[in-house]
Every structure is written in structure tokens, then in C-alpha cells.
Amino acid sequence: MKLSIWVTRKCNMNCSYCYENGIERYDAPIDEDIYINKCIEFINLTCHRTSSKKLFLKFFGGEPLLKYQFIKRFVREINDKISPEIRVFYSITTNGTLMNDEVINWFKENDVECALSVDGDERIYNTNRHYNNGTSSWDVIDELISKLINSRVKLSARVTYNSKTEDSIYDSIIYLVNRGFTRIKAVPDFFDPNWSSDMIPILKRQIELICNFKSTHPRLLINLDDDNLLTGRKGCAGGYSMFSLDRNGDIYPCTYVVDTPSFLIGNIFQTCHIPLQYTDGTHLQRSDCIGCKYYKCCKSSGCLYGNYKLSGQLDGVNKIFCAYQKILYEIKEKGQ
């Protein structure tokens, strides 16, 4: 089972491409001990109902390390009270600005995988990422990278690029590899309204360069959201074995649709025994995609809530998402 825990809606940064950009968020007041116990009840019950023997638990935000003490308590309680047949894998996505030696050591001691949001070198980083007051956080991250690499914590770099930085993706990957990262995930900001058709050839060339680099460095794990590209897709496990849990206890099938009332499944403070549902995508027409050679295997047939977030419909597809997927398929078919 995959479970994302929204530990906070607050953030100490205001990145220009963030899905929360410009929105002032407040955390719902809750009894955190009760919340943790209800989460564990939900996990144990749902893993049993779905025969899940593994739990992939991600701490999400906002900036989750604003709630570091809560996360520590959460992990301690999970380790004590989770069903013994369930193996737990912890991860966190963080901007890194609140990390220190204590946090890094705690990550190592508890086997927490850290995805650090860092888009490239100083110029690229500062294009979109900054504190709430507009100042740069680069100096903090520059020092942190060396510390994290030397600490040997489970680490990956999360690279987000948009229309401002798409011509530098390859250079960003090379920069991060040279800094010591061996696991990198790079994905476009599909929500950027400034993508245009004349940018697609540039984007394609950048992806080709990265794929060529990947082929000559097989020990590096560079993910372009290109896993299992040619595998047929039928639907989404969101609502069955994948969930996103908001701080107020609301349960959603996916982080993409948190705050969307029509996708609210339940609330752990009311009941942990929710209706399980697998969202079948085989009946969806995706009319804009009919005739495309990648119709059956495209991620748009499996990432239905992503479709909804991008287009407002489970079977609608965003144009840059479509163009990006075609780039990946065409490169895959060429054997790059």
C-alpha cells in the first residue's frame, strides 16, 4: 500500500512553480496523538483488507520538516504498533532548508529515504526557488548537498523544470551527478501555462541528451518518469491500495485531488473502514487521444487523477503532458 501523509500545509518557501503558490495555508488543529493512532488503525485495517505486505509511507507537505517532531513521533508509533507482517518503507520530500545533523542522523537511523528538491546549479535553482521573503536559499542547499552526500543517507534529487529552465535540463543533471547524486528524478511542471509548441523540439533534444548519458552510465538511476513505458495500463489503484491522508483526517485516492470534495473517500476520525475502489480506466474514451499509437500504454490511461488535476476530467489530457509522453515513447522506440 502507498500512503502519503500531509503533515502540514505550511511552507517556509514560496517557489514559483509550486502547486500551492500564492495560497496561504493553515493547518487544521488536531490532537496529534489521536491522529497517529487513527492512521495506524487505518493502515493495519486497509493492508489486511487488500493483502498488502508492504507499506510505502511518504511524509508530504508543505514543507514536512516544519513538523519534524511530529514525524519522529509518528515513525516511533508506527514501528511499535504496525502489524508485524507489514514491512514499512519511509520517505520524505523536502526543500532541505531545515535539515541539520540531527535530522540527517535520524534519517539514517530510521532508514528514511530523502528526496531533496534541487533543480540544478545556483542559476537554475534561483530561477524558481526562494524563501517566502523572496531571498535565495541556495547557500544553505549548496552546503547541505555535500553534507548529505558524505552522510550516505538514502538520497535522491528531485528536479522540477518549466518553460524557464527546459533548455538546461541536461546541464542540471550533469551538475547534480558531479555533485555526487546517483539517483535523480526529473519531471516537467505540467501546470506551467507558458509552455508553447516551439519549446517541444528543445525539450526533446534535452531528453535525448539525458537518455544518451543514461545509456553510458547504467549505475546511475535517472528517472524521467519513463518507467515501464510500453506496458499496457488499465487504471489507477488510488482508493484501493494508494491513498493521500490530509492533516484533518480526510482520505483521498491521490495527492492530485486532495481538497476536491467529489473525491473524498472518508475521514479517519469518523471511520477507518472505508469503501475500497479501483478506478478502472478501460471505459474512458480519452477522445483527444483516439488514433494515437500510444493510446493503450500511455500514462494518461493509468494516471487518471493526474488527468483530472491537469484538465478537469479523468479522461482529459494536458497538451504538454501529451507532448512529453510522446517524446519518451519515441526515444524508447529508437532504443536510446
Side-chain angles (χ1 to χ4, degrees), residues 1-166:
M1 184 171 87
K2 296 180 179 180
L3 180 63
S4 295
I5 303 288
W6 287 64
V7 295
T8 181
R9 292 298 190 93
K10 296 181 180 179
C11 190
N12 62 334
M13 294 185 69
N14 187 23
C15 303
S16 60
Y17 53 47
C18 181
Y19 52 87
E20 296 276 87
N21 184 38
I23 303 174
E24 189 171 0
R25 294 292 194 182
Y26 299 92
D27 288 336
I30 58 170
D31 185 313
E32 292 185 343
D33 291 327
I34 295 177
Y35 178 88
I36 291 171
N37 285 327
K38 297 300 288 185
C39 282
I40 294 171
E41 180 184 346
F42 173 74
I43 290 167
N44 283 330
L45 176 62
T46 308
C47 283
H48 174 73
R49 293 173 67 195
T50 58
S51 301
S52 299
K53 301 300 182 184
K54 295 180 180 179
L55 171 67
F56 298 90
L57 197 157
K58 176 184 290 187
F59 295 108
F60 204 75
E63 171 46 47
L65 287 180
L66 286 168
K67 290 289 186 177
Y68 171 57
Q69 295 301 326
F70 169 76
I71 292 172
K72 285 177 63 178
R73 193 159 77 253
F74 198 115
V75 169
R76 184 173 63 247
E77 292 297 309
I78 284 275
N79 291 341
D80 286 343
K81 298 178 181 178
I82 201 74
S83 295
E85 68 270 17
I86 301 172
R87 186 179 177 188
V88 186
F89 300 85
Y90 297 109
S91 66
I92 188 170
T93 301
T94 174
N95 62 39
T97 58
L98 301 175
M99 292 186 71
N100 53 32
D101 290 340
E102 178 192 341
V103 174
I104 293 171
N105 288 332
W106 184 82
F107 281 178
K108 287 197 296 183
E109 291 168 2
N110 291 274
D111 208 23
V112 178
E113 181 178 332
C114 173
L116 180 68
S117 294
V118 53
D119 300 339
D121 63 17
E122 182 175 7
R123 181 183 68 84
I124 296 299
Y125 182 93
N126 285 333
T127 301
N128 291 302
R129 304 187 63 80
H130 45 78
Y131 285 119
N132 283 325
N133 63 7
T135 61
S136 172
S137 56
W138 173 253
D139 288 345
V140 173
I141 299 305
D142 186 30
E143 181 179 348
L144 176 66
I145 290 173
S146 298
K147 185 176 291 188
L148 283 173
I149 296 297
N150 293 330
S151 74
R152 299 192 179 278
V153 71
K154 282 187 177 179
L155 180 65
S156 63
R158 166 77 187 203
V159 175
T160 303
Y161 58 90
N162 60 8
S163 59
K164 297 178 183 177
T165 57
E166 61 123 9

